[in-house]
Amino acid sequence: MTDTNVHATCTVGEIFRMAIARYPDREALVCRGRRYSYRAMGEEISKFTQALAARGVGRGDAVAMLTANRAEAVFVQAALAHLGARLSWLHPLGSVADHQFIIEDAEITTLIVDADGYAEKGFAVAQAAPDMRCLSFGPAGGADTEGAEDLSALAAGFAPAPLTDLGDPDDIAYILYTGGTTGRPKGVVHRHTSFVSSYLIALHGWDWPAEARTLAATPISHAAGALIPPTFLLGGTVHLLAGFNPEEYLATIAREKITVGFLVPTMIYVLLDHPALAQTDVSSLQTMLYGAAPMSPTRLKEAMARFGPVFTQAYGQTEVTAMGCSLRQSDHDPDDPEPLASCGRPMPGNLVRILDEDLNEVPRGEVGEICFRSPNTMVEYWKRPDETAATLRGGWLHTGDMARMDARGFIYIVDRSKDMIVTGGFNVFPREVEDVLTAHPAVAMAAVIGVPDPKWGEAVMGIVVLRSDATADEAELIAHVKQAKGSVQTPKSIVFAEELPVTGLGKPDKKALRAQYWKDQDRQVG
């Protein structure tokens, strides 16, 4: 296992070089029909490093990437680390306006765009900074992209050379932007040391099989990317899919004997409800990480029955490199179902407390805010000193997640503090109501929001997606919740939908759900 003290003196680039040196002949990366050994991956990283340097990218420079999952994105991420440049990922499903904001806010000087599907959006983004250098993966044709140079072709013209790390552990490695659900995205600043720490925490805090064949179908610009360096440190193979398609995902598991996956809960629900699952051999799967949004305990038990004891929950935020708590496979016990509703216990290296507004730890079983101290905590919010001070108040990273901790140390998130509904003077946490709704045998997915109400200020509303072969009416579901949770938390109304809107990360988009009910209101709370 990797030395756990290495984070203090190691860079992200050194992590890649460690893996390349240890496992030169093993298979490192598979993408779009191409297979790379660790040695070949090192050669590609070298060529992209030289190509970027030839175009003036160096230590401290700010680079953004807008790309689908592809091998070149991994190579460039490593190349930028070796050059000492900092990277800001642009989410492939993000809006042009948000991307333009990031380009300006992060002071990006080089934009790299995937020409296969993202050229038009990428170069619309580039209009925000006409002096910015534009590069592309593959030729980007069209009048609007004449200023872009094919970085892949440029890199192909260089001969592999030994990799030299020009970065420093305390350099800024990433400025990663939050989703912007409460306004403009915030830039989360991380040094190399925090990301190296996160890789080591992942190795010790998640369940890894003896042979890691990792499948990434969600964007590697976000949570799925956290699996790549740990897989390399284990000498495993990363398989990249351009996006999540249930048939392709299942077929890849069967064909490549995938042992490690990562999906958000809504994608797991899609797999469970898909007819191809019954005809697919998924027996190779030994670890399925899930996270980024709460998962229904009822559907989790269904998934455990279908896939076996393979599930590990990951809980975290961009501010702690997505490594906060984990619910290990050993904690997924059908005979002890209560922890299935939790986000697990702190991962090794993290100090986690449930604090009140005065930074006092609340008694076990009472609700407070999840707060972290860990080596993978952000430095700051980029150019936002007031928000930095509030989030790092008292030396703790304040998550905004309200939760309780039980006697065994399992942490149960009751909801995001901003999602709390105040109805008739009582606090209702949507997560608790959603878990009850999805426990009904007819319900596939549910989201709970507050809507304006002249009597209650906010009224609890449930938006429900039924299973394809099931029926239920509003009165039945309301009675189901009332029996389990009492009248205060019971929805005043149930709306049936064919699907829930989701964010680019696959989370239910409550901002979109709320907008249609609050658009004519003077304020956005009751």
Side-chain angles (χ1 to χ4, degrees):
M1 189 62 71
T2 307
D3 181 359
T4 54
N5 293 318
V6 74
H7 67 85
T9 57
C10 186
T11 65
V12 171
E14 180 62 26
I15 291 295
F16 278 87
R17 290 204 310 285
M18 283 180 183
I20 292 164
R22 287 182 180 183
Y23 314 110
D25 297 320
R26 291 192 189 182
E27 191 167 67
L29 193 60
V30 179
C31 182
R32 304 186 186 194
R34 301 190 67 180
R35 310 180 86 95
Y36 300 87
S37 69
Y38 279 83
R39 181 183 289 105
M41 179 173 71
E43 292 173 350
E44 292 296 323
I45 292 170
S46 170
K47 291 191 286 186
F48 276 97
T49 301
Q50 294 175 76
L52 288 164
R55 290 299 176 265
V57 177
R59 187 175 178 188
D61 285 343
V63 180
M65 254 201 297
L66 174 60
T67 176
N69 291 355
R70 58 186 300 160
E72 293 90 340
V74 177
F75 303 152
V76 167
Q77 178 183 16
L80 293 172
H82 281 92
L83 290 168
R86 59 175 169 87
L87 172 62
S88 294
W89 293 97
L90 303 180
H91 195 289
L93 297 181
S95 70
V96 169
D98 275 350
H99 290 341
Q100 287 181 332
F101 171 80
I102 292 170
I103 292 294
E104 182 177 355
D105 188 66
E107 302 170 11
I108 300 299
T109 57
T110 301
L111 173 64
I112 303 170
V113 173
D114 184 349
D116 185 11
Y118 294 92
E120 183 177 353
K121 176 186 282 188
F123 298 106
V125 170
Q127 301 308 308
D131 295 331
M132 183 173 57
R133 182 187 299 110
C134 293
L135 304 169
S136 60
F137 294 137
D144 294 336
T145 62
E146 287 180 357
E149 182 177 11
D150 185 347
L151 179 61
S152 300
L154 179 63
F158 287 89
L163 289 167
T164 302
D165 193 348
L166 302 179
D168 184 271
D170 286 328
D171 284 345
I172 296 175
Y174 299 92
I175 299 181
L176 305 174
Y177 280 76
T178 60
T181 56
T182 57
R184 284 295 194 182
K186 297 190 292 289
V188 180
V189 178
H190 280 288
R191 296 190 178 102
H192 284 267
T193 50
S194 61
F195 261 76
V196 172
S197 296
S198 75
Y199 304 151
L200 304 179
I201 288 171
L203 289 176
H204 291 284
W206 292 341
D207 296 287
W208 293 91
E211 295 183 27
R213 292 185 291 276
T214 301
L215 180 57
T218 61
I220 62 171
S221 56
H222 289 69
L227 279 71
I228 293 176
T231 298
F232 289 159
L233 286 173
L234 294 170
T237 306
V238 173
H239 295 257
L240 297 180
L241 296 180
F244 175 71
N245 174 283
E247 293 92 344
E248 183 183 22
Y249 194 87
L250 291 169
T252 305
I253 292 175
R255 183 182 66 252
E256 300 289 349
K257 304 301 180 187
I258 295 299
T259 60
V260 181
F262 169 82
L263 292 174
V264 300
T266 51
M267 294 173 180
I268 295 175
Y269 304 160
V270 168
L271 291 184
L272 289 173
D273 296 336
H274 201 280
L277 179 58
Q279 286 79 46
T280 303
D281 180 5
V282 295
S283 61
S284 64
L285 197 63
Q286 297 179 55
T287 298
M288 176 59 81
L289 284 152
Y290 64 97
M295 187 166 182
S296 157
T298 299
R299 301 234 69 185
L300 178 55
K301 284 187 280 188
E302 182 183 343
M304 290 162 58
R306 178 60 186 87
F307 288 95
V310 302
F311 287 93
T312 298
Q313 183 184 165
Y315 162 74
Q317 295 181 328
T318 305
E319 289 84 345
V320 288
T321 63
M323 309 286 179
C325 299
S326 62
L327 189 70
R328 305 294 293 267
Q329 289 178 0
S330 58
D331 299 322
H332 287 72
D333 182 357
D335 295 326
D336 183 19
E338 186 176 0
L340 298 182
S342 79
C343 66
R345 293 182 274 207
M347 295 175 74
N350 292 338
L351 184 64
V352 182
R353 295 289 184 267
I354 310 298
L355 303 180
D356 63 18
E357 292 184 355
D358 297 320
L359 302 181
N360 298 311
E361 188 171 4
V362 303
R364 293 288 176 103
E366 294 190 10
V367 173
E369 183 180 15
I370 301 177
C371 296
F372 285 100
R373 281 179 180 160
S374 65
N376 56 325
T377 300
M378 72 173 189
V379 177
E380 62 183 345
Y381 289 123
W382 181 248
K383 298 191 293 191
R384 296 194 179 200
D386 292 343
E387 291 181 66
T388 298
T391 299
L392 298 179
R393 182 169 57 93
W396 292 92
L397 188 287
H398 293 257
T399 65
D401 285 335
M402 307 304 292
R404 59 182 175 84
M405 181 184 290
D406 71 10
R408 292 184 287 176
F410 289 106
I411 296 171
Y412 297 79
I413 299 174
V414 295
D415 229 306
R416 291 287 292 168
S417 56
K418 62 182 175 56
D419 287 338
M420 185 178 72
I421 301 167
V422 181
T423 179
F426 293 97
N427 297 339
V428 173
F429 294 101
R431 165 72 192 274
E432 296 180 328
V433 183
E434 290 161 359
D435 284 350
V436 174
L437 283 170
T438 55
H440 190 283
V443 176
M445 303 182 200
V448 170
I449 61 172
V451 297
D453 186 273
K455 179 178 180 180
W456 304 105
E458 287 183 274
V460 181
M461 172 184 283
I463 299 97
V464 166
V465 177
L466 294 177
R467 298 184 188 229
S468 59
D469 58 348
T471 59
D473 60 26
E474 181 182 38
E476 179 183 353
L477 294 180
I478 287 175
H480 172 72
V481 177
K482 187 172 184 179
Q483 182 178 10
K485 300 297 292 183
S487 58
V488 170
Q489 298 191 68
T490 297
K492 297 289 191 293
S493 61
I494 298 287
V495 173
F496 294 94
E498 294 199 3
E499 61 182 8
L500 296 178
V502 295
T503 67
L505 299 180
K507 303 178 184 181
D509 190 343
K510 294 200 176 173
K511 183 178 179 181
L513 290 171
R514 283 172 52 89
Q516 58 186 309
Y517 298 100
W518 290 90
K519 60 184 179 181
D520 296 326
Q521 301 296 310
D522 292 332
R523 59 178 186 165
Q524 297 300 295
V525 294

